[in-house]
Amino acid sequence: MKIIETKNKIIDAKPFQLFSHDHRIIDYQEELLDWSREHLKTEALFYQFQVKEEMVVTYLPDACVNLIFEIKGEEVTSKMLGILTEAKETIFEPGICYFGVKPYTNVGLRCKEKDQSCLVNQLVSLDSQFPAANELIQKFKLVKDFQQRKDLILADHRSIFLDENRRSVLSEYLSVLLCTNTTAISMEKVGDETGYSRRYTQQIFRREIGISPKKYSRIIRFQNAIKAVFAKTDMTLAKLACQLGYYDQAHLIHEFQLFTQQSPKNLMESVTLSK
């Protein structure tokens, strides 16, 4: 699922890191790697960076979870950021190396909390959800660069973070269906595609993914809009609304304000400055 082809355009399906385009971010590195062989979405984005100065960053709504390690000398702090349905501010500080893993799907994660909806918009300690991660966190004190940290995670990630027996084909298939449709998709079509009732599908999807299929689709479409803003400097709101299947420009503006608490115009201006 690296590239999705549609009748309108080609969309890069890689998770998007808006903050990585900020000029205050230094030494940013990322790589898309195999994460789980059992699931339809097999990959995860590994990334690492530092900052020049203390900065307040807004994480935008995102349909992926983040496993985050903050390394300062021999002091390592680890966190899990659940799926975001709203903008969330955090502070990055100089002198800290930030290393993260963003799996394409949270289906199959060995979380202590079995209902993913309980982790939506939450920032929790990593070991509170993955008790077996304690030894891994200690090992992080001994490695020094991006490659070593990737290797360290991939050496034991299956036993620490993944449960091979915990998967939902329905949730996985539906998440792929929603990701590969650049425009909105009705629950009636979802029912036709899956063969399950709307109520049952929503219950399973909310438990395994964390949010409803409709909200998941809206977040994916919003992320695609952000990517389009970055990819094309001449992109107008009218064109964007048309390409991504919003009812009209007003609908697009409403969604942006709901997800980011700012207008598309303001966000596009800040994007232009960052670029």
Side-chain angles (χ1 to χ4, degrees):
M1 285 192 61
K2 291 181 181 179
I3 297 291
I4 298 173
E5 294 191 16
T6 74
K7 64 180 181 180
N8 292 325
K9 59 179 180 173
I10 296 178
I11 291 178
D12 181 359
K14 185 172 66 176
F16 187 68
Q17 306 277 73
L18 180 62
F19 64 81
S20 67
H21 298 267
D22 194 297
H23 69 278
R24 295 168 293 178
I25 297 287
I26 56 176
D27 300 328
Y28 183 82
Q29 302 175 71
E30 68 174 34
E31 188 173 348
L32 203 57
L33 298 170
D34 287 336
W35 175 256
S36 171
R37 295 188 296 269
E38 289 76 25
H39 298 89
L40 297 178
K41 294 183 177 181
T42 62
E43 296 160 314
L45 184 73
F46 287 64
Y47 59 94
Q48 179 177 287
F49 64 92
Q50 297 187 55
V51 297
K52 297 178 182 178
E53 59 193 63
E54 182 177 298
M55 56 186 285
V56 178
V57 172
T58 301
Y59 277 102
L60 296 179
D62 189 351
C64 297
V65 303
N66 282 268
L67 312 178
I68 305 168
F69 299 83
E70 300 177 0
I71 305 110
K72 186 176 183 180
E74 293 190 356
E75 182 182 344
V76 179
T77 304
S78 58
K79 304 170 184 176
M80 176 181 177
L81 179 62
I83 282 179
L84 294 180
T85 62
E86 58 191 35
K88 188 178 186 66
E89 284 192 347
T90 189
I91 297 176
F92 293 153
E93 299 179 359
I96 297 177
C97 177
Y98 296 90
F99 178 88
V101 181
K102 186 193 290 279
Y104 258 31
T105 179
N106 54 345
V107 174
L109 286 179
R110 195 188 292 270
C111 296
K112 188 175 181 180
E113 176 57 66
K114 302 302 182 185
D115 188 340
Q116 286 289 316
S117 65
C118 296
L119 298 173
V120 173
N121 296 322
Q122 300 299 310
L123 181 65
V124 299
S125 64
L126 194 67
D127 57 1
S128 70
Q129 291 301 316
F130 305 97
N134 278 312
E135 185 177 347
L136 173 68
I137 295 168
Q138 295 304 314
K139 290 179 180 178
F140 255 79
K141 300 177 181 179
L142 305 176
V143 294
K144 302 300 181 183
D145 59 32
F146 185 50
Q147 183 62 52
Q148 290 177 339
R149 292 181 180 115
K150 288 187 301 178
D151 292 343
L152 182 59
I153 290 283
L154 292 175
D156 298 312
H157 80 287
R158 297 180 66 80
S159 60
I160 296 174
F161 297 112
L162 295 175
D163 185 347
E164 296 178 2
N165 298 316
R166 185 181 175 190
R167 62 172 303 187
S168 169
V169 175
L170 173 59
S171 295
E172 288 182 76
Y173 174 74
L174 183 52
S175 70
V176 172
L177 179 66
L178 296 174
C179 283
T180 52
N181 277 267
T182 55
T183 58
I185 181 171
S186 68
M187 287 307 298
E188 287 72 20
K189 182 176 180 180
V190 167
D192 293 339
E193 289 282 348
T194 64
Y196 292 98
S197 71
R198 174 175 181 173
R199 182 179 179 182
Y200 178 77
T201 300
Q202 289 179 329
Q203 287 177 339
I204 297 298
F205 197 86
R206 187 182 296 274
R207 185 178 71 239
E208 296 293 336
I209 301 293
I211 55 180
S212 69
K214 181 177 180 180
K215 181 158 285 188
Y216 186 92
S217 177
R218 287 170 59 199
I219 291 175
I220 294 297
R221 186 164 50 163
F222 166 75
Q223 282 278 321
N224 286 335
I226 296 293
K227 293 175 189 177
V229 168
F230 259 84
K232 300 180 180 180
T233 55
D234 61 342
M235 177 66 69
T236 65
L237 295 183
K239 287 181 180 179
L240 199 57
C242 180
Q243 282 196 345
L244 295 178
Y246 290 98
Y247 297 128
D248 50 29
Q249 184 172 319
H251 183 206
L252 169 64
I253 292 172
H254 174 76
E255 289 287 275
F256 263 75
Q257 290 175 330
L258 182 66
F259 282 136
T260 68
Q261 286 75 59
Q262 61 179 311
S263 69
K265 181 180 178 181
N266 290 339
L267 184 62
M268 289 170 78
E269 287 175 351
S270 65
V271 163
T272 302
L273 288 174
S274 296
K275 291 173 69 174

